[in-house]
Amino acid sequence: MKLLCETMNINRSSFYYWKKTLGNLSPRTRALINNIPLFQEYHLKYPSHEYNWLNAKICLDKGVILSDPYAHKCCKAAGMKSKAKHYKYKKPGVPGKIFPNLLMSELQIDGPLQCIVSNMTSFYVKGIYYELTLYMDLWNNEIVSHSLSSKRGDRMTYISGLEDLLELKKQHSEYQMILHSDQGSVYASKAYNDLLPMYVTRSMSRAGTSTDNGAMESINGWIKTELFMDFHVTGGRPVETEIDEYIQFFNGERPVYALNYLTPKQYRELYVT
């Protein structure tokens, strides 16, 4: 031990002081040591998320209430970081001429199904190409309708998802609903828009400006990240089943920062009560 202390250029008394304090840790240090494995467990399960989301998920699952700064301290001590990619802001494009962008008109959303945003995202599983069309309620970030296809450019994914959305909207047909999308060929087609009843108002992003539908674009990125990084979708089971299970997780078990870390389902149920 004397040789080690001389080699590291420290006093022998420092070693014995460290050894003494190691067996007599403060309650705060012991709590930190006990909480770090909990964050490591959730980081291994959801590596795409940062400390604040992990903290909210731990609170939701286990009822352990910790502050975000403390959660950051635990993750930093264990060297844990989100493995998700971050995307740069794109310059806005030319305003579209098909439908106006109603999201830029200081729209006030204070209830469900008032504004639905939609987009399509694509991915590969075992070399097979899939297209997933989503319809999300902008009020609480809940996926209210989705459709999956392994056929490239399949317009029926858009239409099937729209039909499911309209069936849900029939329960509240007395309210006006805004349906916002980009200027994709299916969204802009006459066949698609002729399906919309009178109480649905169309809205579109500017051409080449994905940030006009930023909420949906962000969700598309998170969904693909979580599917392959957290849920490990490999095609071992039917992809349709795995997508359905993920959508249930997204709506019922995934905390959302914009909702004070409530899940979309919890936020809707709180609104109803």
Side-chain angles (χ1 to χ4, degrees), residues 16 38 82 90 198 247:
Y16 290 108
L38 184 60
S82 168
K90 293 184 179 180
M198 293 297 294
I247 296 298

Side-chain angles (χ1 to χ4, degrees), residues 45-152:
K45 192 174 182 180
Y46 306 106
S48 63
H49 289 284
E50 296 183 349
Y51 68 92
N52 47 3
W53 189 92
L54 294 177
N55 188 30
K57 183 62 174 170
I58 290 171
C59 179
L60 180 66
D61 291 350
K62 298 183 178 296
V64 179
I65 301 176
L66 301 171
S67 67
D68 282 348
Y70 186 82
H72 179 262
K73 184 177 181 179
C74 292
C75 292
K76 185 177 181 180
M80 296 181 295
K81 292 183 179 180
S82 168
K83 297 182 181 180
K85 294 181 180 179
H86 298 278
Y87 299 92
K88 295 182 179 179
Y89 172 79
K90 293 184 179 180
K91 185 178 179 181
V94 179
K97 298 181 180 179
I98 300 176
F99 292 103
N101 187 345
L102 300 180
L103 296 188
M104 299 181 64
S105 60
E106 298 183 358
L107 187 65
Q108 298 295 325
I109 303 174
D110 55 10
L113 299 179
Q114 292 183 3
C115 183
I116 304 297
V117 291
S118 179
N119 204 347
M120 185 275 290
T121 186
S122 59
F123 52 87
Y124 286 88
V125 177
K126 282 190 173 181
I128 301 177
Y129 177 84
Y130 290 92
E131 290 184 351
L132 175 63
T133 302
L134 300 169
Y135 291 83
M136 184 181 78
D137 191 340
L138 199 58
W139 174 67
N140 67 336
N141 284 14
E142 183 174 7
I143 303 298
V144 294
S145 176
H146 70 282
S147 182
L148 181 72
S149 174
S150 58
K151 180 181 178 182
R152 187 181 293 271

